[in-house]
Amino acid sequence: MIDIGVNLTSGRFHKDLSEVMGRAREAGVHAQIVTGTSVHASEEALALAQSYPNELYATAGVHPHDAKNWSEESAASLAALAREPGVVALGECGLDFNRNFSSSEDQLRCFEAQLILAVEVQKPVFLHQRDAHEAFMPLLKHYRPQLVGAVVHCFTGTREELEDYLALDCAVGVTGWVCDQRRGAELRELVKHIPADRLMVETDAPYLTPHNLPKKPKGNRNEPAFLPYVIETVAECRGEAPDALARQTAQNARVFFQLT
Ligand SMILES: [Zn+2]
């Protein structure tokens, strides 16, 4: 299994990362993509990837929440990071008009700069979109033909949004959101409509702890070892066998991020 979205640089993993890694391995999660959410966090993600070769890989990007801090300096640092072999994608980047921690102007500027960089270095983008589909689509559409790949991570949108992404040949990342009977109801229906070769899975650890765990983990912290619970739910919704889905999504991730 491959977890395409883990926030292992989070302070919540500082104390026991090696145990977390051990449990992931035991659970059959053999590779993970560590999400970069700021220049600093992306540097940390790359350092982690370098200390766990062939097991951890990094993305480099600036989350829309952090777009207000985007500067020429961050652009230069990110451009250097993006060229590192341990960095397998640009992002997470995109737009989040749900909480608006940065202004929409700053978010648009920061997102477009990262799309341009992804085109330049020919690496895929790891996308975040929340309550911003209208503004997100024209930008993505404009750059999509030159991008080598695009995955909409933690997809929780509508049928129309899903169709828009699929029309642009995007891959879709599904998290434990799908395991939530109430909040995930729409997603449980929609995962059936994601073509098998475009589907990837992620925990988004330490966030979005799956609701189908046999018992709540300490502090309700999510970790990559819980990926099988996401896979189990997605497989159930699609009427597929979990092990077949695990293999397919891992294969998709290998190809998409060009993992060696
Ligand atoms: Zn995100």
Side-chain angles (χ1 to χ4, degrees):
M1 284 169 268
I2 298 181
D3 190 339
I4 68 152
V6 287
N7 301 280
L8 290 186
T9 62
S10 158
R12 295 179 71 189
F13 291 118
H14 278 178
K15 271 196 222 134
D16 62 343
L17 184 65
S18 61
E19 282 93 340
V20 169
M21 291 298 293
R23 285 195 290 272
R25 245 171 257 141
E26 255 169 63
V29 179
H30 54 269
Q32 305 168 42
I33 317 280
V34 184
T35 311
T37 51
S38 66
V39 171
H40 179 65
S42 301
E43 282 163 358
E44 288 185 335
L46 175 62
L48 270 183
Q50 287 164 342
S51 52
Y52 289 90
N54 303 317
E55 194 169 17
L56 294 184
Y57 302 85
T59 70
V62 174
H63 192 283
H65 286 339
D66 226 41
K68 56 178 174 300
N69 299 319
W70 182 255
S71 63
E72 256 171 54
E73 199 190 328
S74 41
S77 308
L78 201 65
L81 273 171
R83 288 175 170 83
E84 291 280 344
V87 169
V88 293
L90 265 290
E92 62 178 300
C93 58
L95 301 174
D96 191 319
F97 294 172
N98 180 266
R99 292 199 270 176
N100 281 310
F101 290 147
S102 293
S103 72
S104 53
E105 295 75 31
D106 283 347
Q107 291 190 38
L108 285 161
R109 198 162 55 93
C110 180
F111 180 30
E112 185 164 19
Q114 293 178 80
L115 290 170
I116 292 169
L117 181 56
V119 169
E120 221 171 273
V121 300
Q122 288 291 289
K123 286 186 183 176
V125 280
F126 187 87
L127 299 168
H128 172 107
Q129 189 276 112
R130 210 158 163 217
D131 294 352
H133 190 70
E134 309 281 272
F136 185 84
M137 279 308 286
L139 262 177
L140 182 59
K141 205 171 187 165
H142 180 77
Y143 289 99
R144 183 64 188 95
Q146 300 153 265
L147 286 165
V148 289
V151 59
V152 182
H153 115 96
C154 192
F155 174 75
T156 56
T158 63
R159 176 84 196 248
E160 290 71 31
E161 292 180 11
L162 178 63
E163 295 303 337
D164 283 348
Y165 296 143
L166 295 176
L168 286 185
D169 195 24
C170 292
V172 180
V174 175
T175 59
W177 188 277
V178 76
C179 307
D180 187 326
Q181 291 287 349
R182 189 181 52 84
R183 278 199 314 181
E186 189 175 14
L187 182 59
R188 295 163 80 90
E189 163 59 30
L190 288 182
V191 288
K192 283 181 247 173
H193 303 288
I194 304 171
D197 62 349
R198 311 264 194 99
L199 176 63
M200 292 188 262
V201 285
E202 45 178 335
T203 56
D204 205 28
Y207 317 112
L208 300 176
T209 306
H211 283 200
N212 54 338
L213 290 177
K215 90 177 209 289
K216 240 188 190 179
K218 206 172 152 231
N220 203 27
R221 184 187 69 173
N222 194 8
E223 56 176 78
F226 301 152
L227 189 65
Y229 294 92
V230 177
I231 291 182
E232 193 183 290
T233 306
V234 175
E236 184 191 307
C237 295
R238 291 169 64 90
E240 290 170 6
D243 56 337
L245 188 74
R247 267 197 307 276
Q248 171 81 59
T249 51
Q251 173 61 15
N252 294 344
R254 271 198 191 291
V255 173
F256 183 88
F257 294 104
Q258 297 200 26
L259 308 184
T260 44

